[in-house]
Amino acid sequence: MARWKASIATFGVSIITALCLSGAADAEPDPALIEAAKTEGSVTWASGLIVNQAVRPVAAAFEKKYGIQVQIATADNLLLRMTNEARAGKVTIDIFDNAGDTIAAMRAADLIIPYASPEAERYRPEHKDPEHYWTSCCVFYYSTVINTDLVAPEDEPKTYQDLLDPKWKGKLAWSSNENFAGPPSFIGTTLLSMGDEAGMAYLEQLSKQDVVRVPGNARAVLDQVIVGQYPIAVVALIHHVAISGAQGAPVKWLKLGPLVGTAETVGLVKGAPHPNAAKLLFDFLLSEEGQLVLQEANYLPADPNVPAKVPELKPDAGGFTAVAILPQMNDEYLPKWLEIYKRLFVRG
């Protein structure tokens, strides 16, 4: 684990601020790439982002700028589809993004190609692959969330240790997902921030709290907290909390310690039919223009120079720290974290 601890992002506010202020400006698009992309005429993009909320607005902005049509492919069973297409020699997807697991599997299968986008130069090290196989277009932070109607201010957990209070037994919830978007990332963050011995001791105590596994993703857990089914979600996406809170939902996310940090990572498919248009869309997603579209869609831009629509949802403005769960951890660490999750938290 020492190999990864050196690259883990437990960020201090001053460090992030300094890097943001020193970041490079938007790169100029390569005219030759633009011309080659326009010759191809279209690009097929499979995205894990919400289509109407983010994908269509990005596609519309890209089409308006370059006159290149964007075909939006479904993200359902994306890894299986891309693997089958590669095996059959009939690749249809040019560019894709997901929250980590798919990009790692595609890399392991030699089904993506590296691309050193000039836009990625200003991005933080944990948000781009050193060998250029992926770059993050937006980031996600998971935190403990409370229903403010059910948890009085004086009872709000102040640290992760407070979740071990007997009064919360059977009242904590988290997703049943067994990937980076579920409890394994919380387990990983705990081990990486506390160390193996202290982290395992904490997780064993937490398992005695009978944490409820809610079917579905982190949004489903948050919805259950909003309606009062559970007073506390161990982890939920903080930008979802901000969106629901602005609509009047009785929810609040807490800064208990290092939050879980993941990202939506973008990759280019090997053997894609429109490789130049794919690179141009890759650049656009990472550009300030593309990042502002994602910002307006209430996603958190990965560009360190572009704030969130609600600024405090990113560590520098929000004054919180996070541990980055990187795609490279998928093969080496996810199986271990998943084993711990199943052994300690899955009953029956």
Side-chain angles (χ1 to χ4, degrees), residues 11-12 51 108 174 212:
F11 317 125
V51 173
W174 60 10
V212 178

Side-chain angles (χ1 to χ4, degrees), residues 147 217-230 236 244 251:
N147 180 309
N217 57 22
R219 179 71 233 192
V221 180
L222 177 60
D223 289 340
Q224 290 294 300
V225 171
I226 288 173
V227 300
Q229 185 68 32
Y230 308 102
S244 295
V251 284

Side-chain angles (χ1 to χ4, degrees), residues 25-285:
D26 249 15
E28 287 295 323
D30 178 1
L33 178 62
I34 295 174
E35 217 34 58
K38 286 185 174 181
T39 298
E40 292 172 350
S42 68
V43 61
T44 299
W45 175 24
S47 177
L49 303 176
I50 299 174
V51 173
N52 288 334
Q53 180 178 330
V55 182
R56 293 193 192 283
V58 170
F62 179 79
E63 289 173 347
K64 181 178 180 181
K65 182 168 186 174
Y66 294 112
I68 298 169
Q69 185 178 16
V70 179
Q71 303 288 346
I72 299 172
T74 176
D76 296 338
N77 299 313
L78 182 58
L79 178 58
L80 179 62
R81 173 179 171 176
M82 291 192 294
T83 302
N84 287 342
E85 287 185 357
R87 188 176 295 118
K90 297 180 180 179
V91 176
T92 63
I93 295 172
D94 300 298
I95 180 173
F96 71 99
D97 59 82
N98 88 307
D101 303 39
T102 298
I103 206 106
M106 290 286 284
R107 171 80 182 275
D110 190 29
L111 296 179
I112 57 176
I113 60 171
Y115 175 53
S117 171
E119 297 288 354
E121 291 183 6
R122 66 186 177 279
Y123 280 51
R124 295 180 58 84
E126 65 273 10
H127 293 149
K128 58 185 177 184
D129 178 48
E131 297 181 278
H132 311 299
Y133 280 92
W134 57 264
T135 305
S136 303
C137 64
C138 51
V139 293
F140 305 117
Y141 297 105
Y142 295 79
S143 179
T144 297
V145 174
I146 62 169
N147 180 309
T148 54
D149 287 343
L150 300 179
V151 180
E154 62 270 20
D155 291 330
E156 288 183 11
K158 302 298 188 294
T159 68
Y160 285 122
Q161 294 294 327
D162 291 342
L163 298 180
L164 305 180
D165 190 309
K167 68 185 175 187
W168 301 128
K169 185 170 184 177
K171 298 180 179 180
L172 306 174
W174 60 10
S175 166
S176 63
N177 277 3
E178 297 184 354
N179 54 31
F180 280 166
S185 285
F186 177 84
I187 290 170
T189 296
T190 300
L191 296 174
L192 291 167
S193 61
M194 295 185 183
D196 282 353
E197 185 174 349
M200 280 304 304
Y202 174 81
L203 292 169
E204 287 169 359
Q205 293 180 69
L206 183 64
S207 70
K208 297 175 183 177
Q209 292 289 73
D210 297 337
V211 182
V212 178
R213 293 183 299 127
V214 176
N217 57 22
R219 179 71 233 192
V221 180
L222 177 60
D223 289 340
Q224 290 294 300
V225 171
I226 288 173
V227 300
Q229 185 68 32
Y230 308 102
I232 299 177
V234 178
V235 278
L237 286 162
I238 64 174
H239 71 282
H240 284 177
V241 176
I243 293 170
S244 295
Q247 296 170 348
V251 284
K252 174 183 178 181
W253 63 275
L254 307 177
K255 302 174 186 179
L256 301 191
L259 274 60
V260 178
T262 64
E264 190 79 5
T265 50
V266 186
L268 299 178
V269 181
K270 188 175 185 179
H274 309 103
N276 295 296
K279 289 177 181 178
L280 192 61
L281 179 55
F282 193 113
D283 290 344
F284 183 78
L285 276 165

